[in-house]
């Protein structure tokens, strides 16, 4: 996702100097982040296979849709800077929300009553979580640097970075905790319902699954707040 957005000439987009900042090194930081995430996918799959002994995976859960473009939200700044900000904020919000997923994964996969190789699976999740810490750090740092500076507007005027960052943050959080989250839950629920159709305890399992989902909704709401 990060590789799909080109880093604009930030020194021309920002009024104040950015030498020595995270903003000045975004291209290299994005590349390191992307390589980490590519490895993390394999690590998540390995943790799953260790715990569940290589389960069959529904094909419609195996892939992901590419990021899509939409109408511009902040026309007062150049389009390339808007695209960069929205992508960075989107990834940062996902990383923050993922903290609950890490807690859940370590608790479940690390349960010796459920999995024979629980220690190995839990350790893999822990390694992924350690890697995510610098991702959150550099994204938050770069966005904070821009928030404290002044952006050159589309018309050549001056736009306070704080006003753009704060509005974009609120929009991303509302989307990720609202429409995007509901769509993800609905899609995955349909896959689970279809996949367990032949199970003799289908209704009981789905009732338990939905109850766990309701509890998860409370956790997501807390994270958004």
């Amino acid at each position: 996702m990060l590789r799909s957005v080109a880093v604009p000439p930030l020194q021309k987009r920002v009024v104040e100097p950015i030498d020595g900042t995270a903003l000045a090194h975004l291209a290299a930081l994005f590349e390191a982040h992307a390589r980490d995430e590519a490895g993390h996918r394999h690590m998540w799959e390995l943790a799953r296979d260790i715990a569940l002994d290589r389960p069959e995976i529904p094909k419609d859960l195996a892939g992901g849709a590419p990021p899509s473009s939409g109408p511009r939200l902040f026309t007062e700044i150049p389009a390339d800077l808007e695209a960069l900000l929205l992508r960075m904020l989107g990834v940062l919000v996902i990383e923050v929300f993922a903290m609950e997923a890490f807690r859940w994964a370590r608790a479940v996969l690390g349960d010796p009553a459920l999995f024979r190789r629980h220690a190995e699976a839990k350790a893999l999740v822990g390694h992924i979580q350690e890697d995510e810490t610098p991702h959150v750090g550099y994204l938050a740092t770069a966005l904070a640097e821009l928030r404290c500076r002044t952006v050159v507007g589309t018309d050549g005027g001056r736009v306070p970075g704080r006003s753009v960052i704060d509005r974009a943050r609120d929009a991303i959080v509302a989307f990720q905790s609202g429409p995007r989250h509901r769509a993800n839950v609905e899609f995955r629920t349909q896959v689970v319902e279809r996949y367990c159709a032949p199970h003799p305890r289908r209704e009981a399992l789905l009732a338990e699954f939905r109850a766990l989902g309701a509890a998860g909704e409370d956790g997501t709401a807390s994270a958004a707040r």
Side-chain angles (χ1 to χ4, degrees):
M1 291 175 62
L2 288 168
R3 283 180 173 143
S4 68
V5 175
V7 178
L10 289 175
Q11 191 56 79
K12 295 181 180 179
R13 300 284 186 265
V14 180
V15 174
E16 297 85 358
I18 63 170
D19 295 337
T21 65
L23 288 171
H25 298 86
L26 277 182
L29 289 167
F30 282 177
E31 180 62 25
H33 190 161
R35 293 187 183 196
D36 270 355
E37 295 297 349
H40 289 171
R41 173 167 183 164
H42 293 299
M43 292 168 74
W44 277 117
E45 291 173 348
L46 180 58
R48 176 199 68 204
D49 290 346
I50 286 175
L52 301 176
D53 195 20
R54 297 183 179 276
E56 181 182 353
I57 305 300
K59 292 183 179 180
D60 45 3
L61 279 184
S68 59
S69 59
R72 291 200 59 195
L73 302 177
F74 306 101
T75 55
E76 69 270 32
I77 63 174
D80 56 2
L81 183 59
E82 178 192 39
L84 178 70
L85 293 182
L86 292 177
R87 183 52 50 83
M88 290 175 65
L89 280 162
V91 172
L92 178 59
V93 169
I94 290 172
E95 297 274 14
V96 171
F97 283 4
M99 293 300 106
E100 175 61 18
F102 286 122
R103 184 206 63 77
W104 172 86
R106 295 187 71 183
V108 174
L109 297 180
D111 188 341
L114 297 175
F115 304 110
R116 179 176 59 85
R117 300 176 66 184
H118 57 91
E120 297 167 82
K122 182 178 179 179
L124 273 170
V125 177
H127 294 321
I128 300 171
Q129 188 172 12
E130 288 178 7
D131 283 351
E132 296 295 353
T133 301
H135 298 171
V136 172
Y138 91 81
L139 286 169
T141 298
L143 289 165
E145 290 169 350
L146 193 58
R147 188 175 182 270
C148 296
R149 287 171 166 77
T150 309
V151 177
V152 178
T154 306
D155 60 0
R158 300 293 185 262
V159 179
R162 177 189 297 265
S163 66
V164 179
I165 294 292
D166 288 359
R167 286 161 52 212
R169 176 202 62 209
D170 292 344
I172 291 291
V173 169
F175 179 68
Q176 291 288 359
S177 61
R180 171 65 65 83
H181 177 70
R182 289 193 296 272
N184 284 339
V185 169
E186 181 179 353
F187 167 69
R188 284 165 174 78
T189 299
Q190 291 173 355
V191 174
V192 170
E193 290 173 344
R194 185 169 65 253
Y195 204 65
C196 70
H199 197 284
R201 296 183 57 248
R202 179 179 188 273
E203 294 306 320
L205 289 173
L206 288 178
E208 183 179 357
F209 175 73
R210 295 186 182 104
L212 290 171
E217 288 293 318
D218 293 338
T220 298
S222 298
R225 287 194 294 269

